[in-house]
Amino acid sequence: VEEPIVLDIPEDEIWTYQIEGLAAPHIGKPYKHYTLKKIIFALTIIIAVSLSVYFSIRTVQKETFEYESVSQGTYQLSKFSNTGYIEELKIDYVTEVKYDDTNKDPATNFELVKDETKTVTEIREYALNCDNNVKVIYIGKDVEKIDGKSFYSCWALERIEVDEENPNYCDIDGVLYNKDKTELINYPCNHDNYLRAKYGYENEPYRDDATEEYVKDIQTYVVPSTVKTLGELCFSYVNLRNIYLPEGLETIESLAVFKLHEPKDQYSNIASLDNIYSYKTEKAVTDTVFTSEENLGEVYLSLPEGLKVIDSDAFSYNQALTYMYIPDSVTFIGHHAFWDTVYKEDGNLKGVTEINVAVSEDDFENLETGDQWRPQYDYLLFKKSIDVNYSAERK
């Protein structure tokens, strides 16, 4: 429009003036059937909200278990969404939740119905993701594949039990291994709660006030001498202060010993992992309960001789650690392998303040290392990586 349009509207007609071609203003005038339209609009909103709630509830009920077909008659558990009241879960056959519409109690108004013509043979990654209710998982005899992240952050999980007829997996007192015990797959997040009940420590205080016997029975774990691999996330978020690793261990996978902690109260937690020990023995060690170092043979502080791979974030966020030694057998260190294991307190460095390695600085250059594999701390306006002590002797 090249020329502005000017409307000369009398002041007393400012709210009623009608521009040609447009609807007349409705200021101060009643709408036709106004009350009826209000009622219809309100009823529409009520019906829409009611249908939304109904179908949301039905969807949750239908999708408690989600499966994908693997082959004829066999299935993968791909997703489990807890009703909020399932504390024990058996993974063997395709399962459905049946609800009793006459029972209004959500804790008891359902039952789990299995179809034994449909066998579960696989458990997908994140199948149980951040579940807060399941305490016990039973693995059926036909399960062939369990992803290392299948039970990610199951905070209430105390133990995993495997059918003795399963040819692929087993458990040692509720800790999941492959059948020949060469890989530790999952140490449940809340396993210490199971151990407290087993050994009669229900009322034992945490951390600084804990007795020596409590630390030995509940917060110390011996990895069997057969184990070659600590699986992905296997010890993540658990409550352990001492771990004994066997010589012969070759691989520590991503996030395997990630952020070990114990609850301080219902709102916070504190770092728990104090020590990584290794042991060298000529006899088979199968008992994961710590009795004494003499029963393990030669024991030394930090990572085992013969270890080859320390994968990404393997030991991240363990600020209670104070010593780390890397043997000359290691050929790969992933990114952020020891991230945030150092911190400042009252201006002083605490935690892992240096990393000791067996090889010389020149030989260490031949190792493959990921970005920021060393922890960093605030230094002036920058971040500074902790020092590496080359050609170090082990404590």
Side-chain angles (χ1 to χ4, degrees), residues 87-91 128 131 133-139 146 151 154-163 170-177 185-198 221 238:
E87 294 187 351
E88 296 189 4
L89 179 65
K90 190 168 186 178
I91 304 174
L128 279 76
D131 184 273
N133 300 95
V134 171
K135 295 181 179 179
V136 185
I137 294 175
Y138 301 95
I139 306 296
I146 303 174
F151 311 127
C154 291
W155 307 114
L157 186 60
E158 297 180 0
R159 64 188 196 274
I160 302 170
E161 298 184 2
V162 183
D163 191 301
C170 70
D171 74 276
I172 300 177
D173 197 23
V175 177
L176 182 63
Y177 290 81
I185 299 170
N186 188 286
Y187 185 103
C189 282
N190 204 27
H191 191 62
D192 60 304
N193 198 53
Y194 159 71
L195 294 176
R196 280 196 296 273
K198 178 178 179 179
Y221 193 74
V238 307

Side-chain angles (χ1 to χ4, degrees), residues 9-17 25:
I9 303 173
E11 188 173 345
D12 59 347
E13 297 180 22
I14 192 70
W15 298 111
T16 59
Y17 187 85

Side-chain angles (χ1 to χ4, degrees), residues 100-120:
D100 180 2
D101 294 334
T102 64
N103 184 353
K104 303 304 181 184
D105 183 1
T108 61
N109 70 347
F110 65 92
E111 63 175 331
L112 304 182
V113 180
K114 295 181 180 292
D115 184 348
E116 296 189 4
T117 66
K118 298 178 179 179
T119 304
V120 176

